[in-house]
Amino acid sequence: KITACEPVTDGSEGNSVLDMVRNAVDTNINAIHSMISEYLYGNYNVEVRKPDDIFRIRFSDGREEFRFTYSTGTSGNDIKTGYMVTATPQGKINNVFSTK
């Protein structure tokens, strides 16, 4: 059961203490994004791109994960194809879901 689902920002906010903490967390998220990008390129031939969304998910049993979504453009029928990747806070990829 999910207890919290928070969007992760790109770190472009101001310079408050909270923003500095967010920027430190964003550094970890960027490292995870880099690992995911390498994985998607190596296994699915998806070019490196900025994620569309990043969410931090907290479950009732105490687990946490990050959920990254990537659009890969459109197909012939204007339907976006993309990938949703879940990863642990340490960067281990749990699941990769794709749409076609």
Side-chain angles (χ1 to χ4, degrees), residues 3 12 15 20 23 26 29 32 43 46 48-50 52 61-62 67 81 83 86 90 93-95:
T3 59
S12 61
N15 291 322
M20 288 186 269
N23 288 336
D26 288 344
I29 291 169
I32 295 170
N43 293 284
V46 174
V48 176
R49 65 194 69 240
K50 182 178 178 182
D52 296 326
D61 63 2
R67 188 169 296 164
T81 57
Y83 294 88
T86 62
Q90 295 77 30
I93 295 173
N94 293 331
N95 297 298

Side-chain angles (χ1 to χ4, degrees), residues 40 44-46 49 52 68-72 81-85 96-100:
L40 290 176
Y44 299 93
N45 203 28
V46 174
R49 65 194 69 240
D52 296 326
F68 294 76
T69 57
Y70 300 87
S71 291
T72 58
T81 57
Y83 294 88
M84 182 178 71
V85 181
V96 177
F97 301 99
S98 64
T99 62
K100 297 192 181 225

